[in-house]
Amino acid sequence: MKPRFHIASLYANTRFLIALLVLSSVLFTGCGSDKNGDAVFFPIDNDLQLGMQVSQQVDSAYGSKGQLLDRNSRNPRIRAAYAHLDAIVERLLESGEVSYREEFPWDVKIINDPEIQNAFATPGGHIYVFTGLIKYLDNEDQLAGVLGHEIAHADQRHSIKQLQKQYGISVLTKLILGNETGNLERIFTQVGGQLVGLKFSRDYEREADEYSVRYLGATDFYACDGAAGFFQKMQSLENRGTPPEFISTHPDPANRIREIQARAQQQGCKTGTAANTGYQEFKRNLGL
């Protein structure tokens, strides 16, 4: 999902890191299966290294503008808000459905921009949530649905897999080992935008929705179709002629609402809204 700054500029310094990661993967690891059972040339260390690099740059970009909220703030309301958000993420991680529960750090940070209804995750499980998303949603189930979707993108290694799928190992190897530096720079500038969840394939978006249902359903706390409620809210904005940034980077919400609800029915999981979550107090602690 798209943060509000220039992607190409933010990731200009990551393309050489990516090149080294790809090269080390091709030369030293070969193709194997990850914990999700998919054939992936890139070892899990690549997700962790790349995710850390991206996270540091995101922190710097928003921190310099004073928008990255400090979880160790002296303000007790900010600390309470982080405790609440951490609890939501922890419920999802403890669902038993997250493959890389132990391998990824799964830290979550709040970006203070009440006008942006958005969230995104880097490779390796660094999660960012905009206050505008928290403000706009009606209940915690909807937010949990979004977080489940983002956790799935990281846990299913969609950024790494899309890099491999889009360009192919043979092409990347040729570019890295050869002298086609112009093409290499162009590719990694494009890839940089995908590292925070931009323009995933429809299959990956559908898979992230499916895992969101699975994560929430396994908590036995949240409505497992919470993501559908989020898409309904986004669709209402779109129908009023003010589509949120999220809609511009994701497939048709109407189809996804139907698919999420069908998946919930098939799974037979709880669809009633969770009670007594303290979501409104969570909002107030953030001044929303």
Side-chain angles (χ1 to χ4, degrees):
M1 302 182 186
K2 185 178 180 181
R4 186 197 269 174
F5 48 80
H6 198 272
I7 292 295
S9 175
L10 174 63
Y11 293 107
N13 294 327
T14 67
R15 58 180 179 270
F16 296 111
L17 171 65
I18 301 172
L20 290 175
L21 296 179
V22 173
L23 180 56
S24 65
S25 300
V26 173
L27 294 181
F28 300 113
T29 64
C31 183
S33 295
D34 68 1
K35 292 178 73 171
N36 300 309
D38 298 323
V40 182
F41 286 87
F42 302 87
I44 196 66
D45 285 350
N46 289 176
D47 297 67
L48 292 169
Q49 294 171 35
L50 189 54
M52 179 62 71
Q53 178 77 8
V54 173
S55 177
Q56 288 173 349
Q57 295 190 35
V58 173
D59 289 355
S60 176
Y62 284 108
S64 66
K65 297 186 289 185
Q67 291 181 294
L68 188 68
L69 297 186
D70 181 6
R71 63 171 49 250
N72 298 314
S73 169
R74 293 183 179 181
N75 186 335
R77 288 180 174 271
I78 299 299
R79 296 198 304 272
Y82 264 112
H84 192 103
L85 188 57
D86 288 342
I88 300 173
V89 172
E90 189 65 20
R91 287 191 185 101
L92 300 180
L93 295 177
E94 294 303 315
S95 65
E97 298 287 339
V98 179
S99 298
Y100 292 97
R101 167 68 180 95
E102 301 301 327
E103 289 85 349
F104 292 169
W106 299 116
D107 57 330
V108 59
K109 298 175 183 178
I110 302 172
I111 299 172
N112 187 23
D113 190 332
E115 302 305 315
I116 299 294
Q117 296 98 23
N118 214 342
F120 63 92
T122 74
H126 301 282
I127 306 166
Y128 293 85
V129 183
F130 288 82
T131 54
L133 178 67
I134 298 168
K135 175 183 177 181
Y136 186 67
L137 297 182
D138 296 324
N139 55 60
E140 194 163 302
D141 301 75
Q142 294 170 354
L143 179 58
V146 176
L147 292 172
H149 178 95
E150 294 307 325
I151 288 171
H153 276 315
D155 194 52
Q156 295 302 309
R157 306 184 66 195
H158 285 163
S159 293
I160 293 293
K161 290 175 183 176
Q162 186 151 317
L163 173 62
Q164 176 178 298
K165 181 178 179 180
Q166 183 167 347
Y167 299 106
I169 289 297
S170 61
V171 173
L172 291 173
T173 305
K174 178 181 177 181
L175 290 171
I176 293 167
L177 297 179
N179 296 316
E180 302 178 51
T181 55
N183 287 334
L184 181 61
E185 181 172 345
R186 175 180 55 80
I187 285 178
F188 287 134
T189 297
Q190 294 171 353
V191 168
Q194 297 169 6
L195 298 182
V196 290
L198 284 173
K199 298 180 181 178
F200 283 118
S201 70
R202 289 183 180 273
D203 286 342
Y204 286 161
E205 291 293 351
R206 188 177 297 110
E207 185 174 51
D209 288 344
E210 176 184 342
Y211 273 92
S212 178
V213 174
R214 290 174 60 173
Y215 298 157
L216 270 65
T219 68
D220 199 31
F221 182 80
Y222 294 117
C224 64
D225 60 350
F230 162 72
F231 283 115
Q232 287 168 340
K233 292 286 290 183
M234 297 297 101
Q235 189 177 40
S236 69
L237 279 180
E238 184 179 34
N239 291 338
R240 292 205 299 267
T242 55
E245 202 163 11
F246 178 89
I247 293 296
S248 69
T249 60
H250 289 69
D252 180 12
N255 290 336
R256 297 176 73 177
I257 291 167
R258 289 192 292 269
E259 290 177 3
I260 290 168
Q261 291 173 336
R263 176 66 62 178
Q265 184 175 13
Q266 181 184 36
Q267 188 170 313
C269 49
K270 172 182 177 291
T271 55
T273 303
N276 303 318
T277 64
Y279 190 70
Q280 298 308 315
E281 182 180 359
F282 171 49
K283 286 185 174 183
R284 288 194 292 273
N285 282 331
L286 290 169
L288 304 175

